[in-house]
Amino acid sequence: MNMVKGRSDLPQAPLADEGVVDFVRTGPGTLAGRYLRQFWQPVVEARKVESGRSIPLLIMSQKLAVYRSQEGKVHCVDNRCAHRGVMLSTGWVEGDSIRCPYHGWAYGPNGQCVDQPLEAEGYKKNIKIGGYPTEEYLGMVFVFLGEGEPPEFPRYPEWERAKMVSPQIDTRPCNWFQNLENFVDEGHVWFTHQGSALKNLQLDAVPKITNEVTSWGFRNVAITPDGRRRQVLFGMPNVGMFAVHPDNIRKQGEAESEHHAPWQMFLDWRVPVDDNIHLQVHCIAVYMDGEPTEAMRARWRDFAAAEAEAHEVAQRVMTGELHYDQIAAMCHHVPLAQDEVVQVGQGVIADRRKGIEHLGASDVGIVAVRRIYTQELTAFAEGRPLTNWIRPEGLLPVSGSGGEEGWE
Ligand code: FES
Ligand SMILES: [Fe+2]
């Protein structure tokens, strides 16, 4: 007998035990996909959508055309012409509309067909494709892919006040939830990120990891035996925050005073492309200016090349051609390749069945994120009220300075 009404009808996650709600699949019509679509999602760096141009995107298995009018406004519609299915992203941007290159049908930002040069005047009013609310914020394009009115656009005032904000979006070839779990996996920092510029490891001082509920989701706190603390904030449904302090960016062998980076805050998202690939979104705020910030800006300009390099090195480690320890010397963005090896190495979709995976006491973050998703998706499937997740301004991971990644 089912203790919870309707639970037996809930979609089960692939490669998980019975009763585990499906947080893996996010295509249109799926439970997790419908849930994620209730929130604004970052989908691309704004600079990649040039004035008068359109780009194709795949987000949660949905084909989109994102385009920018000559006046600078960004829009998003389905990337499929209602006439005979051609990609609208290959067409022309005209004012706020986009015109199909096959027979010239044009669509406005809400997906309404506004012109059909080869057809009778009355036909176009019956033709409509999906058109989605779109906002540009912190150097990224955000889209609301849900039904009805979008929720209030979430703002991050601490990022608006930064001296510099840099969005960096890379793709990772595995299911999105593996990276969500990685974000709240404090323990991995000690091992996965050995040798990265981010972390001077002290493996003899591994932390005790605890987890606290917040109004936004939860917070992980790692405390070492010598009393240092590191916090990571997780915000529903797929947002996170952590801080990086100057000392931990210094290169090995450099004196502590030679900081190569100003103090930074990371605002992160994990956004499914489809069920096998996802976007890792970092929006990095820097709070100092001057030379270190300029050095950082130059480094970020090469992010696309660093991402390609990280993919290649991660692949070569997984095939056995390189050893894990060689990553640090071969990548400009070491953590990117390290995280890719451990996330993609689990398989495109991780096997979470009991007896195949064996969680331990340090996995409090992973347990917490699965629990929160199971609760919310179950309520969603049963039509019960959903939690109104709120991040009050000032809820930040750490406020101290110095030390290593996120240490206070
Ligand atoms: S397929 Fe787009 S106008 Fe014909
Ligand atoms: Fe990591």
Side-chain angles (χ1 to χ4, degrees):
M1 188 178 107
N2 285 307
M3 299 304 286
V4 178
K5 184 172 170 290
R7 178 162 287 190
S8 62
D9 302 330
L10 294 182
Q12 307 292 294
L15 299 176
D17 291 309
E18 203 175 322
V20 175
V21 178
D22 187 359
F23 42 66
V24 169
R25 289 175 284 208
T26 60
T30 62
L31 185 60
R34 286 190 294 122
Y35 181 72
L36 282 178
R37 281 172 174 77
Q38 300 205 327
F39 301 84
W40 288 91
Q41 301 291 347
V43 294
V44 68
E45 295 100 320
R47 65 182 171 80
K48 291 192 173 168
V49 193
E50 292 171 22
S51 178
R53 297 292 296 270
S54 177
I55 58 165
L57 287 181
L58 186 65
I59 298 293
M60 294 189 274
S61 306
Q62 199 172 339
K63 290 176 183 165
L64 304 170
V66 172
Y67 63 98
R68 187 186 293 278
S69 71
Q70 281 82 359
E71 290 72 43
K73 182 107 179 56
V74 180
H75 303 291
C76 176
V77 295
D78 284 338
N79 198 8
R80 185 182 188 285
C81 179
H83 181 213
R84 291 187 46 220
V86 165
M87 294 168 74
L88 292 173
S89 59
T90 59
W92 298 279
V93 176
E94 298 175 1
D96 276 340
S97 300
I98 187 162
R99 189 181 297 277
C100 178
Y102 209 4
H103 314 94
W105 290 20
Y107 302 84
N110 65 355
Q112 178 62 49
C113 185
V114 292
D115 194 28
Q116 295 170 315
L118 304 175
E119 301 298 328
E121 183 60 26
Y123 186 22
K124 68 185 180 206
K125 69 174 188 300
N126 302 319
I127 303 292
K128 193 171 187 306
I129 59 174
Y132 307 96
T134 307
E135 291 281 346
E136 195 169 339
Y137 182 57
L138 300 177
M140 295 178 286
V141 176
F142 287 75
V143 174
F144 175 74
L145 295 173
E147 288 167 11
E149 283 300 303
E152 189 182 342
F153 189 83
R155 306 192 80 90
Y156 297 88
E158 298 91 344
W159 269 253
E160 294 176 22
R161 288 197 287 266
K163 296 278 190 201
M164 181 170 80
V165 169
S166 173
Q168 297 178 352
I169 303 181
D170 64 283
T171 56
R172 184 155 293 160
C174 67
N175 184 256
W176 76 292
F177 210 83
Q178 274 147 251
N179 203 341
L180 206 63
E181 290 176 329
N182 179 81
F183 187 83
V184 296
D185 182 345
E186 285 304 289
H188 95 278
V189 176
W190 268 256
F191 294 92
T192 306
H193 297 308
Q194 289 195 51
S196 86
L198 280 179
K199 186 83 182 67
N200 297 322
L201 284 163
Q202 294 177 302
L203 290 173
D204 53 336
V206 293
K208 185 170 186 311
I209 299 159
T210 57
N211 178 267
E212 302 162 1
V213 171
T214 71
S215 60
W216 194 35
F218 59 81
R219 172 186 5 237
N220 279 337
V221 183
I223 305 177
T224 58
D226 59 2
R228 292 175 305 151
R229 302 200 308 152
R230 180 184 189 266
Q231 295 181 6
V232 165
L233 284 184
F234 169 71
M236 282 293 273
N238 57 342
V239 197
M241 279 183 190
F242 65 97
V244 176
H245 297 295
D247 284 354
N248 90 315
I249 307 288
R250 73 177 187 273
K251 292 188 177 140
Q252 279 175 343
E254 283 174 343
E256 291 211 15
S257 58
E258 293 176 43
H259 296 157
H260 272 244
W263 186 67
Q264 301 166 50
M265 293 280 291
F266 278 63
L267 176 58
D268 273 38
W269 286 260
R270 304 292 180 260
V271 182
V273 170
D274 58 22
D275 294 338
N276 301 330
I277 305 172
H278 67 276
L279 301 179
Q280 170 167 268
V281 180
H282 296 310
C283 183
I284 308 164
V286 178
Y287 293 91
M288 289 157 61
D289 44 22
E291 196 190 321
T293 307
E294 288 311 311
M296 182 108 300
R297 199 192 299 274
R299 183 171 177 245
W300 289 342
R301 259 198 296 275
D302 298 329
F303 183 68
E307 183 197 346
E309 179 184 71
H311 284 312
E312 193 205 326
V313 170
Q315 274 306 317
R316 292 172 68 193
V317 171
M318 285 187 277
T319 58
E321 188 189 332
L322 294 176
H323 186 266
Y324 194 88
D325 288 344
Q326 292 174 274
I327 295 174
M330 297 188 71
C331 286
H332 287 85
H333 202 315
V334 176
L336 217 51
Q338 294 173 325
D339 276 326
E340 180 153 331
V341 169
V342 298
Q343 290 169 35
V344 177
Q346 296 169 35
V348 174
I349 294 179
D351 195 333
R352 297 180 173 85
R353 288 171 294 178
K354 282 197 188 72
I356 291 177
E357 70 166 14
H358 301 79
L359 297 184
S362 65
D363 294 313
V364 283
I366 287 126
V367 171
V369 75
R370 291 181 191 178
R371 185 191 305 127
I372 210 166
Y373 258 86
T374 298
Q375 283 169 358
E376 285 300 290
L377 293 185
T378 303
F380 190 44
E382 295 171 9
R384 289 187 278 117
L386 298 175
T387 310
N388 183 23
W389 305 102
I390 293 167
R391 185 187 78 92
E393 187 178 352
L395 180 63
L396 293 167
V398 280
S399 55
S401 64
E404 293 145 21
E405 182 184 355
W407 290 105
E408 59 176 346

